Amino acid sequence: MKSFFIYILLFIIVFKVDVFAQKKINEKFKKETVGKIDLLLQENYVFPDQAKLIADHLNKSLKEGKFKKYELLDSFAHALTKEVRVVNKDKHLGIWPAFAPVKEQENSNDDYQMYLKNYTDARKQANGFKEVKIINGNIGYLNINFFLAETTKTIDAYMYLLVNTDAVIVDLQDNGGGNPNTVNYLCSYFLESNLLINTLYFRQGNRKNEVITHEVNGKKMIDIPLFIITGSKTFSGAEEFSYNMQSQKRATLVGEVTGGAANPGDVFKINSDLEIFIPTGTGTNSITKTNWEGTGVIPEIKTSGENAYSKAVELASQAAEIYRKKKGSESKNIYEELQRIIDKQTQYSENDTAKIDQQIIDIFRKGVDLNLFGESEINFFGSQNIKKNPLIAESILKSNTVLYPKSPMTYLAYGDMLESNGKKNLALTNFEKSIVLAEEQKAPYLEGLKMRYEKAKSSK
């Protein structure tokens, strides 16, 4: 796949059809252009047999005079695009005027102005993201216009805002596609790791690339209800995300049937004035054993583009309520497990401490994995037991240091409990760990931790 520029270019060509050139052309130019397209298709199009049929149709159209009435570059490009799609309706196939003809590029000596324009255009795209918010009812909403390369940090930041929501809506109505690695990264937030979701075949080199989900830098949202808004402008990589989630039964799609362009490709130069996008590969979904080429991705809930957002919010609100009840039930079960250990405390001897510690760690790890508990909730459970069950409180606060080993405050709370239980040497060790982590993180409460350590040290 190419860079940001190509994805933006393809999106503009497919959906905005802006006028890039009003240059007049002659019949010789048309003939040479069709000849070069013929060559490029037969050398690069992922389906060689289809390439020949398309090229034959294009040459036939030229001979029949279908392009005679087009005297301007842009109208000729539109006509060519229409004809190359006649044979198999491949919506990725497209011809358009080059942004900057080669001669202009060669004569340009102001590299900085070109850089500044590209930089400014990229900034305006905001890494492809349009909006993120939390709707009433604790529903996360993420609107993405493009899947651009090297935007994983942006995805991480946005997903961090949504991680504690009870349902998520991903709006792809106006998403024209983009980088497949970025698509897979977002998929990986909603699916288990090491899951084969797609296999890409590329004609050049006769190679196959397996698309496998992986770990992400944030917290995965494996079981949170997911809804995807689709429309007729949902295209290419945006369709891939939708199709992957649908085939994995991970999301409900709401809206309109998508554009129907499944085959990845590349931009090739026809001449100094025209370029063509040619699909050089094709994908096969691991479950359906096919893709959405030509048919589009069909939503489970069909509705108009105008009503898709409100319908998705309605469905997400219902799903969020069910999800909260489910989480409440899971939380109660885990609390009851903890309570059974607390109730049996009197039956344990001092030799059973390690056993109790492990049981409590296992309980809270389960809660963390289910997104039921965090550091503050575990600390709360510990504080609730300080007076009536100090050893249980110690074990709970210890589990917090295991589950959140990079938090200075977990070691502080555990150290306080150890000191209270008469284990001052171990308490000092944990205060020291707290200080080291706070120094590394430049925590604003560092001086307070040092004072606490000195106080504990002097009372030894």
Side-chain angles (χ1 to χ4, degrees):
M1 295 298 106
K2 293 289 186 182
S3 65
F4 154 82
F5 174 79
I6 284 178
Y7 298 119
I8 295 301
L9 175 61
L10 180 60
F11 181 79
I12 290 171
I13 293 302
V14 173
F15 296 123
K16 294 189 177 179
V17 198
D18 290 338
V19 176
F20 292 115
Q22 294 293 339
K23 179 178 178 179
K24 285 196 172 185
I25 56 175
N26 55 34
E27 291 304 311
K28 180 184 177 184
F29 178 86
K30 295 175 188 177
K31 183 177 180 180
E32 290 175 349
T33 297
V34 169
K36 186 59 184 291
I37 292 174
D38 183 333
L39 180 64
L40 289 171
L41 284 170
Q42 299 210 47
E43 286 182 347
N44 299 285
Y45 193 47
V46 63
F47 307 115
D49 54 339
Q50 294 292 306
K52 186 176 186 313
L53 292 174
I54 295 168
D56 289 346
H57 173 77
L58 205 57
N59 281 293
K60 182 181 177 183
S61 298
L62 179 68
K63 289 178 181 178
E64 292 175 349
K66 285 188 177 181
F67 303 123
K68 276 189 176 294
K69 63 181 177 180
Y70 302 108
E71 297 180 351
L72 299 177
L73 187 67
D74 63 321
S75 59
F76 179 49
H78 286 298
L80 286 170
T81 297
K82 180 180 177 181
E83 294 305 321
V84 296
R85 293 178 180 176
V86 165
V87 172
N88 62 354
K89 305 189 185 318
D90 189 331
K91 294 182 181 179
H92 263 139
L93 278 171
I95 297 99
W96 55 79
F99 272 133
V102 170
K103 289 181 180 178
E104 291 182 20
Q105 292 176 1
E106 290 173 349
N107 294 334
S108 174
N109 54 14
D110 195 345
D111 292 339
Y112 176 74
Q113 288 301 320
M114 186 176 294
Y115 153 77
L116 186 61
K117 181 182 184 306
N118 291 338
Y119 174 77
T120 303
D121 289 345
R123 294 275 295 181
K124 288 178 182 177
Q125 297 302 326
N127 277 342
F129 290 84
K130 184 176 180 181
E131 184 180 11
V132 61
K133 62 183 178 180
I134 297 178
I135 303 169
N136 288 343
N138 198 31
I139 299 164
Y141 173 80
L142 182 62
N143 191 332
I144 313 173
N145 277 346
F146 306 103
F147 285 105
L148 301 184
E150 300 176 3
T151 55
T152 55
K153 288 184 178 180
T154 305
I155 294 175
D156 292 335
Y158 279 29
M159 295 301 289
Y160 179 79
L161 294 174
L162 304 181
V163 71
N164 289 316
T165 54
D166 295 319
V168 172
I169 298 170
V170 178
D171 192 340
L172 301 179
Q173 271 194 103
D174 297 313
N175 191 305
N179 189 288
N181 293 329
T182 307
V183 173
N184 187 37
Y185 190 74
L186 187 61
C187 286
S188 295
Y189 260 99
F190 296 105
L191 296 170
E192 297 283 357
S193 297
N194 301 314
L195 182 67
L196 175 64
I197 54 177
N198 204 9
T199 300
L200 296 174
Y201 166 78
F202 292 94
R203 178 181 170 185
Q204 295 299 326
N206 192 33
R207 75 183 194 277
K208 290 184 178 181
N209 292 345
E210 291 187 334
V211 181
I212 299 173
T213 56
H214 50 74
E215 292 301 310
V216 294
N217 295 322
K219 188 174 181 63
K220 282 182 177 268
M221 305 173 76
I222 302 297
D223 67 337
I224 290 177
L226 177 63
F227 297 84
I228 302 171
I229 301 178
T230 62
S232 59
K233 293 181 181 179
T234 306
F235 199 75
S236 191
E239 294 180 276
E240 180 182 356
F241 178 81
S242 305
Y243 195 78
N244 289 344
M245 294 299 108
Q246 185 182 66
S247 63
Q248 294 289 337
K249 301 188 184 305
R250 180 61 190 86
T252 300
L253 275 55
V254 182
E256 301 170 317
V257 178
T258 64
N263 300 326
D266 222 331
V267 172
F268 297 86
K269 186 163 289 296
I270 299 170
N271 49 46
S272 61
D273 297 301
L274 290 172
E275 296 173 338
I276 181 171
F277 189 95
I278 299 177
T280 57
T282 188
T284 303
N285 182 271
S286 62
I287 293 176
T288 66
K289 307 304 180 186
T290 184
N291 57 42
W292 60 95
E293 178 65 34
T295 62
V297 186
I298 303 170
E300 289 84 0
I301 309 297
K302 291 184 180 179
T303 184
S304 67
E306 294 78 11
N307 295 328
Y309 175 82
S310 59
K311 186 62 178 179
V313 171
E314 175 192 336
L315 294 171
S317 298
Q318 296 168 1
E321 183 62 31
I322 295 170
Y323 183 76
R324 280 190 289 270
K325 289 179 180 178
K326 173 190 170 189
K327 288 298 176 183
S329 177
E330 291 173 348
S331 180
K332 182 180 179 182
N333 290 338
I334 290 176
Y335 176 77
E336 288 175 349
E337 280 187 59
L338 176 64
Q339 197 58 49
R340 282 194 289 271
I341 292 175
I342 294 173
D343 291 343
K344 289 182 178 180
Q345 182 200 355
T346 55
Q347 302 175 21
Y348 293 120
S349 67
E350 193 171 326
N351 295 329
D352 293 322
T353 301
K355 179 180 177 181
I356 296 173
D357 287 348
Q358 190 58 53
Q359 287 177 336
I360 289 178
I361 288 171
D362 290 344
I363 287 172
F364 284 115
R365 179 175 282 116
K366 189 188 302 182
V368 170
D369 290 343
L370 290 171
N371 203 29
L372 297 172
F373 305 133
E375 177 186 337
S376 59
E377 286 78 20
I378 297 173
N379 190 66
F380 169 78
F381 281 117
S383 64
Q384 290 294 98
N385 283 279
I386 287 175
K387 290 184 178 179
K388 55 184 178 181
N389 296 292
L391 292 178
I392 289 292
E394 178 184 315
S395 187
I396 291 173
L397 294 172
K398 180 181 180 179
S399 73
N400 223 4
T401 66
V402 174
L403 297 170
Y404 296 95
K406 294 183 179 180
S407 170
M409 300 308 290
T410 62
Y411 292 99
L412 173 65
Y414 181 41
D416 284 340
M417 194 68 241
L418 287 167
E419 185 181 46
S420 177
N421 286 343
K423 302 174 183 178
K424 292 189 175 181
N425 286 333
L426 191 53
L428 288 172
T429 299
N430 279 271
F431 290 145
E432 288 169 356
K433 287 182 181 178
S434 179
I435 291 170
V436 169
L437 287 169
E439 286 176 335
E440 291 174 354
Q441 299 168 20
K442 295 181 173 57
Y445 47 79
L446 174 60
E447 291 306 314
L449 294 179
K450 289 180 177 179
M451 291 173 62
R452 178 68 183 89
Y453 172 71
E454 292 300 328
K455 181 180 177 182
K457 190 176 179 181
S458 62
S459 66
K460 185 177 176 182

